[in-house]
């Protein structure tokens, strides 16, 4: 995959995310400091659940954001090193936030169609 295709896939995802508005959204987040090795020994995990209300691109800081009732989550657009779709209505972003700091964000939408 070329760099241009990589960015096109990410933009396409966020341009079409509104079809998931109103859907239960699971965000599983893992943070590690071992060159992207997200095993249980080297990672810290968090799980968030909310109904997706809106999303946007925040130009100040170059962040993709998703919002639900009492929940706000951002992904640093400039730090994304991987974007995949491992299943239907499932997406994964990996950000490199520092020399040895990585965050994986796994999104699962409980979409009715």
């Amino acid at each position: 995959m070329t760099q241009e295709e990589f960015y096109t896939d990410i933009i396409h995802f966020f341009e079409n995310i509104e079809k998931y508005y109103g859907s239960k959204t699971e965000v599983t987040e893992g943070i590690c400091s071992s060159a992207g090795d997200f095993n249980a020994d080297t990672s810290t995990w968090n799980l968030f659940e909310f109904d997706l209300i809106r999303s946007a691109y925040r130009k100040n800081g170059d962040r993709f954001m998703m919002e639900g009732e009492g929940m706000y989550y951002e992904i640093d657009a400039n730090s994304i090193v991987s974007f995949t779709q491992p299943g239907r209505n499932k997406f994964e972003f990996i950000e490199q936030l520092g020399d040895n700091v990585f965050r994986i964000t796994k999104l699962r939408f409980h979409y009715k169609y």
Side-chain angles (χ1 to χ4, degrees):
M1 174 182 288
T2 67
Q3 192 76 2
E4 184 176 321
E5 291 170 324
F6 174 69
Y7 290 125
T8 300
D9 287 350
I10 294 168
I11 291 167
H12 182 263
F13 168 76
F14 278 102
E15 285 179 341
N16 292 287
I17 196 173
E18 59 185 47
K19 74 179 182 181
Y20 297 115
Y21 286 7
S23 296
K24 178 182 170 188
T25 303
E26 293 177 15
V27 178
T28 305
E29 171 192 75
I31 299 174
C32 78
S33 59
S34 181
D37 179 11
F38 291 99
N39 71 52
D41 294 331
T42 61
S43 302
T44 300
W45 291 92
N46 299 296
L47 172 66
F48 312 97
E49 293 182 350
F50 56 93
D51 291 335
L52 186 63
I53 295 172
R54 84 181 113 241
S55 64
Y57 182 76
R58 183 168 61 83
K59 279 186 101 164
N60 184 10
D62 292 322
R63 303 291 195 261
F64 293 112
M65 59 76 67
M66 293 171 284
E67 187 174 354
E69 179 97 17
M71 181 65 199
Y72 185 86
Y73 193 84
E74 291 188 335
I75 296 171
D76 181 353
N78 291 322
S79 297
I80 298 171
V81 295
S82 175
F83 172 69
T84 58
Q85 184 174 359
R88 188 168 183 229
N89 304 316
K90 296 179 180 180
F91 304 89
E92 292 183 3
F93 292 87
I94 297 178
E95 300 161 83
Q96 184 170 4
L97 302 174
D99 290 340
N100 291 315
V101 179
F102 295 84
R103 176 171 77 163
I104 186 169
T105 301
K106 298 180 180 190
L107 301 172
R108 179 177 178 218
F109 298 101
H110 294 264
Y111 185 56
K112 56 190 166 200
Y113 300 105

